[in-house]
Amino acid sequence: MYLSVDAGSATPLFEQLVAGIRAQVIDGSLSQGERLPAARELAESLDVNVHTVLRSYQVLRDEGFLDLRRGRGAVVASRVRDYAQLERDIDRVVAEARKLDLTANALTALIRKAYE
Amino acid sequence: MYLSVDAGSATPLFEQLVAGIRAQVIDGSLSQGERLPAARELAESLDVNVHTVLRSYQVLRDEGFLDLRRGRGAVVASRVRDYAQLERDIDRVVAEARKLDLTANALTALIRKAYE
DNA sequence: CAAGTTGTTCTAGTTGAGCTAGAGTAATTA
DNA sequence: TAATTACTCTAGCTCAACTAGAACAACTTG
């Protein structure tokens, strides 16, 4: 499982981890039932604190992407869904936003408003 | 111009202001050339510090939505654009994300990745 | 059963972004 | 000239994020 974090980024480390893992579940790089590295292990390999990784795992559990069990570890949840249409929709809205010279912040803020 | 902020929200006050004003420019409630309240004035009416409002104005200037001039105030920039398609695309991607039980955070993170 | 693995929970200290406050400066308008 | 208004600078406060260490509970493995 490939992951990277940027300590200098404005987005929190735990959010970067969440985003990275979630994206891999959605695009299929991580598949149902697959086991993730132990939190302590991933933390060391990314040079990040264990608690930061654990927080990310817990967010992903709350969102339904992971199953967490003591002793067993973190496993990609069985969440039967087809993300193909979503990916097309995302590509389309991003292209349109680019055409209008909107920043990523502007677009995501608009989407957040539409989500209310 | 209607605006409201929630001091208890996780999203920063200045971001809430930016999002609110930007959304009104995009949906046409605020139109090109229209003058916004003076920063001091808006700050008082929202019970927020002047610097917070000024920061919002400056972000919106950087994004091309406002023109700022000392003595004159903040004016909606002439930015001839048609946002109709964008709004349709946003509605579509939000509907799809809802259908897939994605949180707003999850969707915006995916979009941010697609924007890179 | 015993030992090892791994997530969970708790306390605690550090750092930086966001917010507030006050004062003064510079450009524009009336 | 006087009023308006954005800009800049300093300074202090608060809270989320991050780190660190320790103990605990559930599960697996030999």
Side-chain angles (χ1 to χ4, degrees):
Chain A
M1 187 191 57
Y2 174 73
L3 266 184
S4 69
V5 291
D6 174 11
S9 165
T11 62
L13 290 174
F14 83 94
E15 282 285 7
Q16 295 181 44
L17 289 174
V18 168
I21 296 170
R22 188 170 43 207
Q24 292 188 37
V25 173
I26 287 180
D27 76 14
S29 320
L30 284 171
S31 44
Q32 187 177 136
E34 197 167 338
R35 186 174 182 275
L36 272 64
R40 288 170 174 78
E41 193 181 326
L42 183 55
E44 187 174 13
S45 80
L46 294 177
D47 198 28
V48 155
N49 194 274
V50 197
H51 295 91
T52 304
V53 174
L54 283 167
R55 179 169 179 186
S56 305
Y57 280 5
Q58 282 155 11
V59 170
L60 289 163
R61 177 193 53 196
D62 293 346
E63 291 186 1
F65 288 101
L66 294 185
D67 288 329
L68 303 181
R69 306 289 292 269
R70 298 174 179 180
R72 189 182 308 171
V75 172
V76 178
S78 61
R79 180 187 165 96
V80 187
R81 291 216 179 29
D82 183 4
Y83 294 103
Q85 183 59 47
L86 180 74
E87 287 173 334
R88 281 194 293 274
D89 291 343
I90 287 178
D91 287 345
R92 201 175 290 165
V93 79
V94 164
E96 182 68 17
R98 276 227 182 78
K99 198 159 64 176
L100 295 169
D101 298 314
L102 291 181
T103 63
N105 271 336
L107 177 57
T108 53
L110 289 169
I111 285 179
R112 218 167 268 279
K113 270 200 185 298
Y115 219 106
E116 281 168 6
Chain B
M1 184 189 61
Y2 175 72
L3 266 184
S4 70
V5 291
D6 174 10
S9 165
T11 64
L13 289 176
F14 83 94
E15 281 284 8
Q16 294 181 45
L17 288 174
V18 168
I21 295 170
R22 188 168 46 205
Q24 291 188 38
V25 173
I26 286 179
D27 75 14
S29 320
L30 285 171
S31 44
Q32 188 178 135
E34 198 168 338
R35 187 173 181 275
L36 271 65
R40 288 170 176 78
E41 192 181 328
L42 183 55
E44 187 174 13
S45 80
L46 293 176
D47 199 28
V48 154
N49 194 275
V50 197
H51 296 90
T52 304
V53 174
L54 282 168
R55 179 168 180 187
S56 304
Y57 279 6
Q58 283 156 8
V59 170
L60 288 162
R61 177 193 55 195
D62 293 347
E63 290 186 2
F65 288 103
L66 295 185
D67 287 330
L68 303 182
R69 305 290 291 271
R70 298 176 177 176
R72 190 183 307 171
V75 173
V76 178
S78 61
R79 180 186 164 93
V80 187
R81 290 218 180 23
D82 183 5
Y83 295 103
Q85 184 60 46
L86 179 74
E87 287 174 333
R88 282 193 290 275
D89 291 344
I90 288 179
D91 287 345
R92 202 175 287 164
V93 78
V94 165
E96 183 68 18
R98 276 226 182 78
K99 197 159 67 177
L100 296 169
D101 297 314
L102 291 182
T103 63
N105 271 336
L107 177 57
T108 53
L110 289 169
I111 285 178
R112 216 168 270 280
K113 269 200 184 298
Y115 220 105
E116 279 166 8

